[in-house]
Amino acid sequence: MQDEELLRYSRQIMMPDIDIAGQEKLRDAHVMIVGIGGLGSPAALYLAAAGVGKLTLVDHDQVELTNLQRQIVHDTNSLGEAKVASAERRLKALNPHVTVRPMAVKADADTLKELLTDCDLVLDCTDNFTVRFQLNQLTWQHKVPLVSAAGIGWEGHISVFDANNEQSPCYQCLYQEGDDAALNCAENGVIAPLVGILGTTQAMEAIKMITGVGEALIGRVLYLDAKYMEWRSLKLPRLANCPSCG
C-alpha cells in the first residue's frame, strides 16, 4: 500500500479491527452495484471513499432531472448521460485508486450471471422486483453475498443474504414473486434522505462482510420509518418451502 493510500485511509486503518489488514481486504475486493440511483449513489460513493478496490456499476438508464433530488452521485451536468458514466467520473474524482467498471446494460439474467463470475459481493440497489428475484437466485447459486435494500415514501428496509451461511435466508424468504410489484418511486414518491440512509447502510454492511468485522444483517431485516425516525429489527428465518433456498 502506497504512502498516499495509507494517509487517505488513515482514519480507518487506526481502528484496531480494521488496521492495514482490513484495508487491504477492501482494496482487494470487487463489489457489483446493480442500480445507480437513490440507493446505489451513496453506496458507491462510500465504498469508493473507503477504498474498495473494484466497483462494477450496472444500470442502463440515463440521468434525468427528477433523479437529482436523491441520486447524489450525479449532478446537473450529468443530465442525459448514462448513469454509469456519470457515476464513474464522480467516483474516479473522489478516489483514483478505485477501478470502476461501468456497464450500461439491462440487468437481465444472462448479463448478471456473466458479471457475477469474479465478484465478492453484490449490492441490490434496484427498484425492479424482476431483477431483485433474478439477483437473489443467481447470487444464491454462485454463493455471492447479497446486500439488499429498498425505500419508498418515508419507509424502507435492508437485509443481507449469504448462501455461505447455513442459517441465512434469501430474498424470497422475505418477499414472494408478485409482492408489492407495483410499488416504485415514480408512482409513489420518496423523501430524498431516506434512500441516502439506506444506501449508506448498504455500504456499511458491505464493508463489514468484506473485512469480517462485526455482525452482518444475516437473518435480520431492519425496517426504517423515517417520518418518526424509528428502526425495527425483525428476525427473518429461512423458509423450508422457499423456491430458492429451502
Side-chain angles (χ1 to χ4, degrees), residues 34 36 43 62-63 73 87 95 149 151 156 161 166 181 195 204 215 229 234:
V34 183
I36 312 301
Q62 289 75 45
V63 180
V73 78
N95 189 350
F161 310 105
E166 294 182 356
V195 286
M204 178 64 78
E215 183 178 337
M229 200 45 68
L234 301 180

Side-chain angles (χ1 to χ4, degrees), residues 56-123:
T56 292
L57 312 179
V58 183
D59 199 311
H60 72 288
D61 283 338
Q62 289 75 45
V63 180
E64 300 177 358
L65 188 59
T66 55
N67 300 150
L68 300 184
Q69 165 251 8
R70 64 200 177 282
Q71 299 183 17
I72 58 172
V73 78
H74 313 297
D75 58 40
T76 303
N77 293 327
S78 304
L79 291 173
E81 186 178 10
K83 286 186 177 180
V84 293
S86 168
E88 179 189 22
R89 186 176 63 253
R90 177 71 181 93
L91 298 177
K92 293 299 289 184
L94 176 63
N95 189 350
H97 298 286
V98 175
T99 298
V100 181
R101 180 170 65 163
M103 302 296 296
V105 295
K106 198 162 186 177
D108 57 33
D110 290 338
T111 300
L112 292 172
K113 183 177 181 180
E114 182 178 350
L115 293 174
L116 270 174
T117 55
D118 63 342
C119 288
D120 299 302
L121 187 139
V122 175
L123 267 58

Side-chain angles (χ1 to χ4, degrees), residues 44-230:
L45 286 165
Y46 269 105
L47 290 179
V52 171
K54 184 175 182 180
L55 297 173
T56 292
L57 312 179
V58 183
D59 199 311
H60 72 288
D61 283 338
Q62 289 75 45
V63 180
E64 300 177 358
L65 188 59
T66 55
N67 300 150
L68 300 184
Q69 165 251 8
R70 64 200 177 282
Q71 299 183 17
I72 58 172
V73 78
H74 313 297
D75 58 40
T76 303
N77 293 327
S78 304
L79 291 173
E81 186 178 10
K83 286 186 177 180
V84 293
S86 168
E88 179 189 22
R89 186 176 63 253
R90 177 71 181 93
L91 298 177
K92 293 299 289 184
L94 176 63
N95 189 350
H97 298 286
V98 175
T99 298
V100 181
R101 180 170 65 163
M103 302 296 296
V105 295
K106 198 162 186 177
D108 57 33
D110 290 338
T111 300
L112 292 172
K113 183 177 181 180
E114 182 178 350
L115 293 174
L116 270 174
T117 55
D118 63 342
C119 288
D120 299 302
L121 187 139
V122 175
L123 267 58
D124 169 16
C125 300
T126 71
D127 59 359
N128 182 305
F129 270 74
T130 299
V131 175
R132 287 182 183 275
F133 289 121
Q134 289 175 343
L135 263 181
N136 177 68
Q137 292 174 357
L138 289 169
T139 52
W140 198 264
Q141 291 169 5
H142 291 269
K143 296 187 179 298
V144 179
L146 177 67
V147 183
S148 181
I152 194 165
W154 292 86
E155 301 177 348
H157 65 269
I158 178 172
S159 189
V160 177
F161 310 105
D162 184 8
N164 300 292
N165 186 314
E166 294 182 356
Q167 304 302 315
S168 177
C170 76
Y171 183 78
Q172 279 198 268
C173 295
L174 178 62
Y175 284 111
Q176 301 300 305
E177 291 197 54
D179 287 355
D180 297 325
L183 293 179
N184 57 65
C185 295
E187 296 180 5
N188 298 273
V190 62
I191 195 72
L194 173 71
V195 286
I197 295 169
L198 294 167
T200 303
T201 307
Q202 283 183 280
M204 178 64 78
E205 290 300 301
I207 290 170
K208 287 161 55 182
M209 291 290 289
I210 292 166
T211 60
V213 174
E215 183 178 337
L217 284 170
I218 296 172
R220 287 192 296 147
V221 185
L222 281 185
Y223 288 94
L224 172 62
D225 182 343
K227 187 180 288 187
Y228 300 99
M229 200 45 68
E230 292 180 349

